[in-house]
Amino acid sequence: MLALFDETRLRRILSRLLDEEEFLSPYGIRSLSRHHREHPYEFRLGDHTFSVGYQPAESDSGMFGGNSNWRGPIWFPANVLVIRALMNLYVGYGDDFTVECPTGSGVKMTLFEVAREISERLTRIFLPGPDGARPVHGGQDVYTSEHWRDLITFNEYFHGDNGAGLGATHQTGWTGLVAVFPNVFAGLTGIDLLDNGMTGVLRTAPEREERR
């Protein structure tokens, strides 16, 4: 296995990534740690101080055109890369390598199970909750109507704390990847991944779905 970090560093990375007070949201991985809400990153240059703080929704400045994908919200391209990386690492480490997910919960998961957990959190954005409302709709009353409640928008990015859809819509170019997750993980076990690797898993996902 070729990686930029050893097991010790990987555990340190995952302890932050899977911390619900930092990167792990109920709806996926945040693009910036929630820690920076109270502790913004600051850079001083001469007499000027520049800072970046956690912003779960829209940007509060026009910096970089006001785009806020990378300042706190849930962004699907980054999440897909994390899921893919975790599955690749699982093929290398197997079932003997486990981490707490969420951090501090006492629940131990393999890297495959962590990847699946993140996938399920992303999918949760679009599923009705106990009250019938979908997080993607952001609590908008119009979507409680029987005529609108099943009309789902595929937004550019999502609120880092409550999963509400933000930015451009329909952004199916990358948010549409949510449709891939159920197929990849449908009936998939860690043993399948260890036996076949990622190439085999992606090739056989439609076959597993057909068998179901």
Side-chain angles (χ1 to χ4, degrees), residues 125-201:
I125 292 172
F126 304 95
L127 299 178
D131 60 353
R134 302 176 193 270
V136 63
H137 293 150
Q140 299 180 65
D141 290 339
V142 66
Y143 287 107
T144 61
S145 162
E146 62 177 315
H147 303 294
W148 291 84
R149 64 189 178 200
D150 293 327
L151 298 179
I152 301 173
T153 57
F154 291 83
N155 295 76
E156 186 177 2
Y157 49 96
F158 301 86
H159 194 290
D161 295 334
N162 63 33
L166 301 165
T169 183
H170 289 304
Q171 195 75 23
T172 51
W174 55 61
T175 300
L177 286 167
V178 69
V180 174
F181 298 145
N183 284 326
V184 169
F185 287 99
L188 178 65
T189 67
I191 294 175
D192 294 329
L193 193 55
L194 293 175
D195 287 346
N196 301 308
M198 283 299 297
T199 303
V201 166

Side-chain angles (χ1 to χ4, degrees), residues 83-104:
I83 291 170
R84 177 65 186 262
L86 288 168
M87 295 175 78
N88 282 338
L89 288 167
Y90 172 73
V91 172
Y93 283 109
D95 289 328
D96 293 334
F97 186 102
T98 61
V99 293
E100 278 189 316
C101 182
T103 298

Side-chain angles (χ1 to χ4, degrees), residues 12-26 28-30 32-35 100-105 121:
R12 290 175 62 189
I13 291 169
L14 292 177
S15 70
R16 296 293 185 90
L17 186 74
L18 303 177
D19 189 336
E20 292 184 314
E21 294 302 317
E22 292 212 30
F23 287 96
L24 185 61
S25 161
I29 299 296
R30 302 177 174 103
L32 187 70
S33 172
R34 194 178 181 188
H35 171 81
E100 278 189 316
C101 182
T103 298
S105 67
R121 290 184 182 226

